[in-house]
Amino acid sequence: MDSTWVGTSLDLNVNPLWHKEEVGLKREFDGDYVDFEGKLLIKRETGNLVEELHRISNENKKLTEMLTTLCENYNALHSHYMDLVSKNSENELSQSKKRKTECEEYSNIMINSLNGNTESSSTDEDHHQSCQRPKDNVKTHVSRIYVRTESADKSLIVKDGYQWRKYGQKVTRDNPSPRAYFKCSFAPSCPVKKKVQRSAEDPSILVATYEGEHNHMHPSRPELLLGSSPTSNLTSDPTAAPMRSTVKSVQKSEEAPAAIQQLLVQKMASSLTRDPNFTAALAAAISGRYLDQTRIEKC
DNA sequence: CGAATTTGACCCGCGC
DNA sequence: GCGCGGGTCAAATTCG
Ligand SMILES: [Zn+2]
């Protein structure tokens, strides 16, 4: 996520402008002679800055986890909503017209954040009305999800909040990457399956195909507390490694309709901005990321 | 030690 | 029937 991504609709203080000591610290450097007191002062300031960096990085990590879980929840909710909508239309349809078999609903959902680095996704669209009438198969709710991820290795994992058990992996004909088959861990009471395969054209996109509908609750962790004040969780972890956030830009321009993405962003943002704690925390997170960036490119 | 993953075998539909 | 390609099973293996 880059700052313009959120900065459009969220009223955040993106500019950190923290530590006015920086000017004083810069003034110590004019003239190529730095005396001992200046060194001491610089050392002390550096210590403070490092401590602040750790604190903010830690906070940034927590907020990123929060955002990830939020996106998972959003995705699960959206998928559930799609299921309800399709079921509803199916009921109406079966009462009115039995003959017209509805083509299975390809609901293309967007996911925003997964796996350490958060990125956007794009919906490929084959919204063809090919009302195929195979067997009386109206129950298979197939939904396709395109996940933008940067893990170029063979992890092939899509964190959507549910727990899956892998039961197969095959190489397919026209794709160098294998396809993984998963079942819901609540098998066989929950018949949901999903297939995950890296996209053939862009290897940084995972294509997850969900099939079925969960009949149990979302086992997502509800214990991460959203209402905590952003200044309260300052548990300074000395071993906290700074979050290595890979900064990158969305370059899938031609097949990523930015309008839909903006719409989703606005939808999520409007539901988020009602919580002032969250906005403040997000601002802090962005500041932390900004700090991290500058520190990385400085070292 | 039980659960989850791996991975080759197996199955099944489809075109020839 | 045969081969092929996608999907699943299950024994072996690894993992927590
Ligand atoms: Zn399930």
Side-chain angles (χ1 to χ4, degrees):
Chain A
M1 120 180 28
D2 42 2
S3 56
T4 70
W5 199 75
V6 250
T8 57
S9 50
L10 285 179
D11 189 23
L12 296 173
N13 184 15
V14 184
N15 298 326
L17 57 94
W18 50 294
H19 277 347
K20 44 274 165 216
E21 293 98 347
E22 194 176 353
V23 282
L25 191 135
K26 270 209 182 88
R27 204 189 53 214
E28 299 291 333
F29 275 116
D30 53 7
D32 42 3
Y33 166 66
V34 184
D35 56 347
F36 189 66
E37 288 185 356
K39 276 185 186 170
L40 262 186
L41 187 63
I42 287 172
K43 198 165 186 178
R44 211 171 57 95
E45 294 295 337
T46 308
N48 285 346
L49 288 183
V50 163
E51 182 184 353
E52 182 102 2
L53 167 74
H54 281 170
R55 203 198 69 198
I56 293 191
S57 292
N58 198 23
E59 195 166 319
N60 186 17
K61 194 169 77 175
K62 283 178 182 170
L63 286 169
T64 305
E65 288 176 4
M66 269 171 49
L67 252 181
T68 301
T69 311
L70 190 86
C71 290
E72 289 173 4
N73 288 345
Y74 170 77
N75 183 37
L77 197 67
H78 193 276
S79 133
H80 193 225
Y81 169 74
M82 279 302 186
D83 280 340
L84 286 184
V85 164
S86 66
K87 190 183 294 179
N88 200 6
S89 68
E90 167 191 324
N91 278 345
E92 291 178 0
L93 210 88
S94 67
Q95 281 192 354
S96 62
K97 291 188 175 183
K98 181 76 176 296
R99 196 62 196 149
K100 179 186 170 196
T101 62
E102 178 70 17
C103 58
E104 38 229 33
E105 179 155 345
Y106 285 89
S107 65
N108 298 303
I109 312 176
M110 303 191 268
I111 294 187
N112 275 326
S113 94
L114 293 176
N115 278 353
N117 38 21
T118 77
E119 267 328 309
S120 65
S121 67
S122 68
T123 71
D124 186 10
E125 203 44 53
D126 38 351
H127 216 295
H128 48 5
Q129 268 76 358
S130 69
C131 283
Q132 45 199 343
R133 59 207 55 205
K135 324 103 191 173
D136 42 354
N137 192 1
V138 200
K139 294 299 293 181
T140 64
H141 302 91
V142 177
S143 68
R144 233 174 242 176
I145 300 188
Y146 296 82
V147 179
R148 187 83 147 86
T149 179
E150 188 55 30
S151 65
D153 52 358
K154 313 169 269 305
S155 69
L156 221 45
I157 286 178
V158 172
K159 290 168 64 177
D160 51 1
Y162 289 97
Q163 196 174 2
W164 303 93
R165 192 188 77 253
K166 187 175 181 179
Y167 68 94
Q169 174 164 334
K170 293 288 287 187
V171 291
T172 54
R173 185 193 160 92
D174 44 5
N175 201 333
S177 71
R179 173 183 299 168
Y181 298 89
F182 295 92
K183 273 182 189 167
C184 184
S185 291
F186 287 67
S189 83
C190 183
V192 182
K193 288 179 283 191
K194 82 167 175 179
K195 296 173 278 191
V196 179
Q197 188 172 29
R198 201 166 290 281
S199 173
E201 53 271 9
D202 193 343
S204 66
I205 289 184
L206 285 179
V207 181
T209 306
Y210 291 75
E211 175 178 345
E213 175 186 5
H214 290 283
N215 51 14
H216 53 87
M217 288 311 109
H218 195 199
S220 162
R221 310 147 301 196
E223 67 262 15
L224 52 99
L225 52 167
L226 199 71
S228 75
S229 168
T231 60
S232 67
N233 47 6
L234 298 184
T235 67
S236 71
D237 192 0
T239 69
M243 243 193 79
R244 192 52 55 112
S245 65
T246 66
V247 192
K248 72 183 159 88
S249 58
V250 187
Q251 67 271 32
K252 291 285 293 181
S253 58
E254 71 276 6
E255 78 175 293
I260 305 181
Q261 183 177 337
Q262 290 274 0
L263 190 102
L264 176 67
V265 166
Q266 282 181 6
K267 197 191 291 179
M268 291 181 65
S270 69
S271 63
L272 282 179
T273 42
R274 299 206 186 94
D275 191 358
N277 284 330
F278 184 83
T279 60
L282 191 54
I286 292 173
S287 301
R289 183 169 302 233
Y290 169 75
L291 165 71
D292 203 8
Q293 267 178 240
T294 57
R295 198 188 66 90
I296 283 175
E297 72 189 15
K298 208 175 279 182
C299 294

